[in-house]
Amino acid sequence: MLIGQEITILGAGVAGLATATALAQRGAKVRVIEQADAIREVGAGLQISPNGAVVLRALGLGEVLDAAGPRARSVVLRDFRRGAEVFRLDLARKNRPYHLMHRADLIGMLKESALDAGVSIELGRTIERVVPNDSDATLHFAGGATETVPILIGADGIKSPTRQALLPNSKAFFTGQVAWRCVIPWDKPETPADATVYMGPGRHMVVYPLRGGELMNIVAVEERDEWAAEGWNHPDSVANLQHAFTDFCPEVRDLLEMAQDVYLWGLFRHPPFKPWHLGPTVITGDAAHPTLPFLAQGANMALEDAWVLADALAEEDSADAAFVRFQALRKDRTFRIVEAASKNAQNYHLRPGPMRFAAHSALRLGAKLAPKIAEGQFEWLYGHDVTNGAGRQN
């Protein structure tokens, strides 16, 4: 049903731009509405695991991906106090590329891909309210203008007006965890392309190089009672971050001494999904299944969604049927990823004692005696390929 079909997408982030490209490449007439006056991303890193990389390659972005995001070598878990290695997961598999990327680079390549495919992008337009119904959706813009569209995709995150329209009673709760993020100048091209996790009591920190060692990305998480606002763009004092990790190993403290612009956000859990769609209106990406950042899958789920959603719209006779199919195909996998991400924080934050000792000993022993078994534990995640039938119903 896609040839010439008019489709409106709210949000020019990973989910919105990837979905726009996938739809336009299949013949749809797509426009993206973005409230910002320019498509920009604050400096932060992300990880494109194999299940997300296959989508980018299927969209024709393989060479751009290889240039923008060097392939990762491994994920390394380390003890917080001594920095000693606890576990290493090999990521350097030829047929399973895993990339460490600057978010701005991913947004930039998706924007260019969307424009090349004929997508229209409208900037500086704020949607205050969405009214979906069985046959179309009405957009209420800031300033009073309204517009009715035949098919609407809400890809504008957890504060999406489309999400609010479809899930008006959905209430998030504070997890008791906050996260800081920052990117520091590094200029060390010899730095191994490892994602390193320093695990401590009630805290952990993830670091990995970006742009071939030009930058170092830092995400630091702490359990605490003090509430913090949800969202990525709340500045905080560097001193607060440094104080929270003052008992970590010297290499962590040295990194944090280099931090300048630091952002803090509260981590919230959102209730399990309810219907993501009503008639020809649907939500996707973080708007549909927000996740905690402990499995590095937010962007990857958005990329998977984009491909499956475009396929469903191409193969079904109506948007309503396509969106029913989309949720049926995606609900179990996204739920499993969200739950796995939540459990990861518990594993990283074990307090000193018998449980922590046993858990770390098991990781060390498993990595030494049966590394392939450890790799196999992530096969369900990284081996999933929605471009090769994994996102289809039979």
Side-chain angles (χ1 to χ4, degrees):
M1 62 167 284
L2 283 182
I3 303 300
Q5 177 65 58
E6 295 184 2
I7 299 176
T8 299
I9 298 175
L10 303 187
V14 175
L17 292 173
T19 303
T21 299
L23 289 169
Q25 288 180 351
R26 289 163 172 80
K29 184 179 179 181
V30 185
R31 68 166 178 163
V32 174
I33 297 176
E34 168 58 45
Q35 67 176 349
D37 59 3
I39 296 179
R40 62 174 69 92
E41 274 290 343
V42 292
L46 50 74
Q47 301 173 42
I48 300 297
S49 53
N51 51 301
V54 293
V55 175
L56 291 173
R57 295 183 186 282
L59 293 175
L61 294 170
E63 291 185 3
V64 183
L65 174 62
D66 289 336
R71 295 193 179 197
R73 186 180 70 165
S74 58
V75 172
V76 184
L77 306 184
R78 295 187 178 275
D79 175 73
F80 79 105
R81 195 178 298 280
R82 296 181 297 113
E85 184 174 317
V86 175
F87 176 78
R88 180 181 293 265
L89 177 66
D90 180 24
L91 299 175
R93 298 172 61 180
K94 185 176 180 180
N95 62 334
R96 293 279 181 83
Y98 194 112
H99 298 267
L100 305 176
M101 290 194 69
H102 199 293
R103 182 179 292 270
D105 295 338
L106 177 61
I107 292 294
M109 61 194 274
L110 289 171
K111 172 190 172 183
E112 292 305 314
S113 178
L115 292 174
D116 288 345
V119 174
S120 170
I121 300 177
E122 302 175 10
L123 302 174
R125 305 197 69 192
T126 299
I127 305 290
E128 292 187 338
R129 187 162 61 98
V130 170
V131 181
N133 58 54
D134 291 338
S135 59
D136 53 33
T138 301
L139 309 179
H140 293 255
F141 292 86
T146 63
E147 181 179 345
T148 298
V149 298
I151 298 177
L152 179 66
I153 299 174
D156 44 349
I158 55 177
K159 296 182 179 180
S160 162
T162 318
R163 175 186 171 88
Q164 179 61 31
L166 295 177
L167 307 173
N169 299 316
S170 178
K171 302 295 183 183
F173 65 89
F174 181 50
T175 63
Q177 299 169 326
V178 298
W180 290 270
R181 64 170 178 81
C182 64
V183 175
I184 61 175
W186 193 242
D187 196 22
K188 296 181 181 180
E190 73 281 2
T191 301
D194 293 334
T196 302
V197 183
Y198 294 92
M199 304 179 295
R203 292 155 295 159
H204 77 274
M205 193 169 91
V206 183
V207 301
Y208 52 86
L210 299 173
R211 294 177 176 167
E214 292 181 10
L215 304 168
M216 185 66 76
N217 188 71
I218 298 174
V219 177
V221 177
E222 179 190 34
E223 295 177 7
R224 73 183 196 190
D225 294 330
E226 184 181 352
W227 181 87
E230 192 172 23
W232 283 44
N233 300 313
H234 306 291
D236 194 35
S237 166
V238 174
N240 291 337
L241 170 58
Q242 293 169 341
H243 178 73
F245 290 83
T246 189
D247 58 344
F248 272 52
C249 57
E251 51 263 43
V252 167
R253 298 198 303 271
D254 289 345
L255 278 172
L256 296 183
E257 283 295 324
M258 302 171 65
Q260 296 179 355
D261 297 322
V262 173
Y263 297 87
L264 174 72
W265 79 98
L267 301 180
F268 287 72
R269 282 293 304 270
H270 292 259
F273 55 80
K274 295 180 181 180
W276 296 344
H277 55 87
L278 173 62
T281 299
V282 71
I283 50 177
T284 187
D286 284 346
H289 42 71
T291 184
L292 295 175
F294 303 139
L295 202 59
Q297 285 298 302
N300 294 290
M301 282 197 289
L303 292 170
E304 289 184 357
D305 282 356
W307 190 271
V308 176
L309 182 52
D311 263 0
L313 280 165
E315 296 175 9
E316 295 291 344
D317 293 332
S318 69
D320 182 53
F323 296 159
V324 170
R325 173 175 174 172
F326 168 65
Q327 180 168 339
L329 289 170
R330 296 295 292 156
K331 63 179 182 178
D332 289 344
R333 176 166 171 80
T334 55
F335 181 78
R336 184 178 182 183
I337 290 173
V338 169
E339 289 302 300
S342 300
K343 291 177 182 177
N344 251 11
Q346 302 171 20
N347 298 331
Y348 291 159
H349 293 181
L350 295 174
R351 264 67 176 179
M355 183 177 294
R356 177 184 173 90
F357 176 80
H360 285 198
S361 296
L363 284 171
R364 290 189 178 98
L365 186 62
K368 182 177 180 180
L369 299 180
K372 294 301 181 183
I373 293 178
E375 291 179 18
Q377 293 178 352
F378 293 93
E379 182 65 23
W380 70 272
L381 181 59
Y382 300 150
H384 192 79
D385 182 355
V386 295
T387 71
N388 193 31
R392 297 175 183 271
Q393 285 178 320
N394 296 318

